[in-house]
Amino acid sequence: MNKINAKTLEAEIRKGSFQPNMVLSNMGLAYFQDDKNFAARSMFPICPVQLSTSYYYKFGKGDLMRDNVKPKPQYGKVAPAIFSNDTDSYRCIVDQVIIGIDEIDSLNYQRQRAPWFADPRRAKVRFVAEQMKIHMEHQFAKKFFQSGVWSEEWTGQDSSASGKQFIKFTSDNSDPVALIDQLCDQVERSTGRRPNRLGLGADTFTALKNHPAILERVKYSGGTANPATVNERVLETVFGIERVRRLSAVYNAAGYGQEDSIEYICDENAALLCYATDTPAIDEPSAGYTFTWDMLNNGQFMPIVQYPGEGGTHTEFIEGLMATDMQKTADDLAVFLKDCT
């Protein structure tokens, strides 16, 4: 490899053979969020469906839990047990996002030998994917994570609490471990299923992470090199919950051209305790389901498609599609806590 100095560099520039890379090849800035911030696909199971709208069965809880076994009479038989069922419906609505690529403008990236992450196609495909994740998280917040959705709803209080109330987790007088145990027992007594999911708003998670009752349980689990810390895994152990998620996805609430207003998508002062299956099953209850429709018949419910624009525009478009319906399928398998902090 020839050594480059000022004289040889000047000669290369005059000949036009030197093409400077005006964009850094080892860093860039893009505020894409970590996938773990989004809870919509981890709190409740995804249920792929063949039709955009149809029905599903709901079997009677009381009939399933009743003891129908009786002594057989001599020369006779017991009456047949009753096993009732009903139906409910879903409807997957197709949502869409589109962004364009100017083919002429994109030549600058190629001629500058810009790094791969500056490729407008790659960047905008990721932008579309991020948009769909944000939209799906908004649907989750609207359908599952807000006041008025679940019939069993508890409210945090600053001091004394009664009925469906509890002391806020920011108070040292509260006992979140005892509260979660109480609510888990309540759901289990009514349904036969013990809650295995706990979604925590950002401020609720922070309050629990620093709560004396929880710190007391973990303070001897660390050492000088690895001090004890409270994270989702620790809370799973303390509460005896299979999956604890911090709901930390954010979005810009301001319109285009307005000053940015970045906010959490899910209520930061709330929590959702529930039972849900890992995968769809006809013989297993779940507080909620996300029905997804493969509208293009390509195995994807959130496909990203690239297609050319009209002739003469020298434009390409990247399209994101999604067809989902998030539904509360078992109201008695969940408890919503509001005003936790």
Side-chain angles (χ1 to χ4, degrees):
M1 183 175 180
N2 296 330
K3 185 177 180 180
I4 298 178
N5 53 40
K7 186 175 291 187
T8 57
L9 180 59
E10 183 180 358
E12 291 292 316
I13 292 175
R14 285 178 177 175
K15 289 189 295 183
S17 58
F18 175 74
Q19 295 180 325
N21 182 359
M22 294 182 290
V23 181
L24 288 176
S25 61
N26 60 354
M27 74 86 72
L29 294 175
Y31 287 86
F32 292 118
Q33 300 180 61
D34 194 315
D35 279 344
K36 69 180 182 181
N37 293 356
F38 297 92
R41 285 182 286 182
S42 63
M43 285 292 291
F44 295 116
I46 298 291
C47 183
V49 293
Q50 295 295 316
L51 303 174
S52 62
T53 181
S54 189
Y55 298 90
Y56 59 91
Y57 286 107
K58 300 177 71 173
F59 297 98
K61 177 179 68 173
D63 294 339
L64 290 171
M65 294 184 176
R66 186 177 296 110
D67 183 359
N68 293 289
V69 181
K70 299 177 181 178
K72 178 187 178 300
Q74 192 173 19
Y75 312 119
K77 61 183 179 180
V78 301
I82 297 175
F83 185 25
S84 62
N85 66 74
D86 198 356
T87 59
D88 208 337
S89 63
Y90 69 86
R91 185 186 180 199
C92 295
I93 303 297
V94 178
D95 296 317
Q96 182 184 48
V97 61
I98 296 175
I99 191 168
I101 301 172
D102 190 306
E103 295 176 336
I104 297 175
D105 217 25
S106 65
L107 286 175
N108 287 325
Y109 293 93
Q110 301 172 17
R111 291 170 178 171
Q112 291 174 9
R113 298 178 183 175
W116 66 267
F117 56 75
D119 183 333
R121 288 176 179 82
R122 287 177 178 265
K124 291 183 178 181
V125 164
R126 188 171 181 184
F127 168 81
V128 168
E130 183 88 350
Q131 286 289 296
M132 292 194 290
K133 288 189 292 184
I134 289 174
H135 180 68
M136 196 170 184
E137 199 75 4
H138 265 117
Q139 288 184 316
F140 172 83
K142 179 181 178 181
K143 293 295 186 70
F144 300 128
F145 205 81
Q146 68 171 342
S147 177
V149 172
W150 306 94
S151 59
E152 192 66 20
E153 182 174 296
W154 289 54
T155 306
Q157 303 292 318
D158 291 321
S159 53
S160 60
S162 62
K164 293 184 179 180
Q165 297 176 341
F166 62 96
I167 304 299
K168 293 182 178 181
F169 299 150
T170 44
S171 171
D172 291 350
N173 294 324
S174 64
D175 191 343
V177 179
L179 175 66
I180 296 300
D181 281 344
Q182 174 190 343
L183 296 177
C184 285
D185 290 344
Q186 176 181 308
V187 172
E188 185 177 41
R189 187 180 299 111
S190 171
T191 65
R193 295 293 189 277
R194 193 169 185 83
N196 60 353
R197 303 281 191 273
L198 179 59
L200 301 171
D203 290 350
T204 303
F205 174 83
T206 300
L208 290 174
K209 178 180 178 180
N210 295 286
H211 196 285
I214 293 176
L215 293 174
E216 180 67 24
R217 286 171 165 80
V218 303
K219 67 180 182 180
Y220 298 114
S221 62
T224 302
N226 298 291
T229 58
V230 178
N231 53 29
E232 288 94 331
R233 305 290 81 79
V234 171
L235 292 178
E236 288 171 356
T237 302
V238 171
F239 290 133
I241 300 292
E242 179 183 308
R243 185 179 302 170
V244 172
R245 291 298 308 270
R246 178 176 182 265
L247 311 182
S248 55
V250 298
Y251 81 111
N252 185 8
Y256 184 78
Q258 299 177 346
E259 184 178 352
D260 289 345
S261 177
I262 311 300
E263 301 176 3
Y264 285 112
I265 296 176
C266 292
D267 184 351
E268 59 263 42
N269 294 311
L272 176 63
L273 177 69
C274 63
Y275 176 84
T277 59
D278 290 323
T279 55
I282 61 173
D283 54 356
E284 186 78 11
S286 182
Y289 268 112
T290 298
F291 297 96
T292 60
W293 181 45
D294 175 12
M295 82 291 289
L296 298 183
N297 198 30
N298 63 357
Q300 300 290 329
F301 77 91
M302 294 175 64
I304 296 178
V305 181
Q306 184 172 322
Y307 61 91
E310 296 180 9
T313 62
H314 302 284
T315 303
E316 298 175 37
F317 291 97
I318 296 174
E319 168 195 38
L321 293 167
M322 62 183 294
T324 63
D325 183 13
M326 297 186 184
Q327 285 216 7
K328 180 180 67 171
T329 50
D331 183 69
D332 52 2
L333 285 174
V335 181
F336 185 74
L337 291 82
K338 67 177 182 179
D339 299 335
C340 294
T341 64

